[in-house]
Amino acid sequence: MFENSCEYIIKQKNEGAVLFKKIGLASSYAAVAVLLSILNLAFAPEELMLLFFAIIAIIIGVAVFVSWRFVCIEYEVMISGGELTITTIYGKSFSKTMLTKSINAFSEIGEYDESSYGEISKLSIQKDYVCISSLSAPTIYYGIFEEENERHILYFDVTEKAVSLLKKSNSSAFRASERRMSGINK
């Protein structure tokens, strides 16, 4: 990797809303399988029952294959040439670019904590991008930028190298304490 660039992955932890979605999705798979099996036992002719159970298994397998990736999300963060690109990776197989923005376009970049929460909550934010591993992650930063006359905010986990590149690329918008910067993992 070049000295003026960095790339890292943010993996969502299985907690909070992510865990709730996974439990709900797994429960719905089980409920559909049970319902279809009951219908199969009640209405299918005995000689076709095994075939219908195979069809049920295929239906559930396809449903899992298609939908499970949307609860297994990772974010790839790349900072290079003064530009920040965040790509959403669904189930390690499908990716979509969420945001590409020049670091100079951010009016403010800083650590997300209780004091910044109070300041941000007073702002009129039209759109937010959340790319964090956990709400309790110690290295959450935010970036505020304007796009099409609307104020947007990005929340993302950072590494030490990412912080140094953000600060180097847009020092006038950068707000972070030395305590926070020295505690970031590489």
Side-chain angles (χ1 to χ4, degrees):
M1 189 67 51
F2 299 108
E3 189 175 309
N4 289 327
S5 66
C6 76
E7 186 174 349
Y8 59 96
I9 299 287
I10 302 169
K11 295 181 181 181
Q12 280 188 338
K13 293 183 181 176
N14 289 327
E15 61 185 32
V18 174
L19 181 61
F20 183 73
K21 288 176 186 177
K22 286 184 175 184
I23 290 171
L25 203 51
S27 299
S28 67
Y29 298 147
V32 168
V34 168
L35 179 65
L36 290 176
S37 296
I38 290 171
L39 289 173
N40 185 23
L41 290 171
F43 298 111
E46 199 170 306
E47 59 273 359
L48 295 177
M49 218 173 268
L50 190 58
L51 174 66
F52 287 148
F53 277 122
I55 292 171
I56 291 169
I58 291 170
I59 289 170
I60 298 301
V62 168
V64 169
F65 177 76
V66 169
S67 62
W68 191 254
R69 72 181 80 182
F70 295 106
V71 293
C72 295
I73 298 174
E74 297 176 342
Y75 303 100
E76 178 185 43
V77 179
M78 188 167 69
I79 300 173
S80 181
E83 192 165 274
L84 171 71
T85 302
I86 299 181
T87 304
T88 307
I89 303 169
Y90 299 97
K92 298 185 189 241
S93 61
F94 172 71
S95 64
K96 181 179 178 185
T97 301
M98 174 191 282
L99 177 72
T100 300
K101 188 62 72 190
S102 169
I103 296 170
N104 285 328
F106 287 93
S107 60
E108 187 173 331
I109 301 169
E111 56 190 295
Y112 184 72
D113 54 17
E114 288 183 25
S115 64
S116 63
Y117 171 78
E119 293 172 21
I120 292 169
S121 62
K122 295 175 187 174
L123 299 174
S124 174
I125 305 287
Q126 282 74 35
K127 185 170 183 178
D128 61 341
Y129 300 89
V130 181
C131 309
I132 60 174
S133 60
S134 166
L135 289 174
S136 60
T139 57
I140 298 175
Y141 270 62
Y142 69 92
I144 298 173
F145 61 95
E146 301 264 337
E147 192 169 270
E148 299 176 8
N149 295 324
E150 292 183 339
R151 187 174 289 155
H152 298 231
I153 189 164
L154 166 68
Y155 300 97
F156 61 111
D157 290 356
V158 295
T159 62
E160 186 175 341
K161 176 117 184 200
V163 170
S164 68
L165 289 173
L166 291 168
K167 187 174 183 179
K168 182 178 177 182
S169 297
N170 192 349
S171 60
S172 63
F174 196 82
R175 309 200 192 321
S177 66
E178 289 300 319
R179 172 195 57 80
R180 179 72 174 258
M181 288 177 58
S182 64
I184 295 173
N185 299 327
K186 290 185 180 182

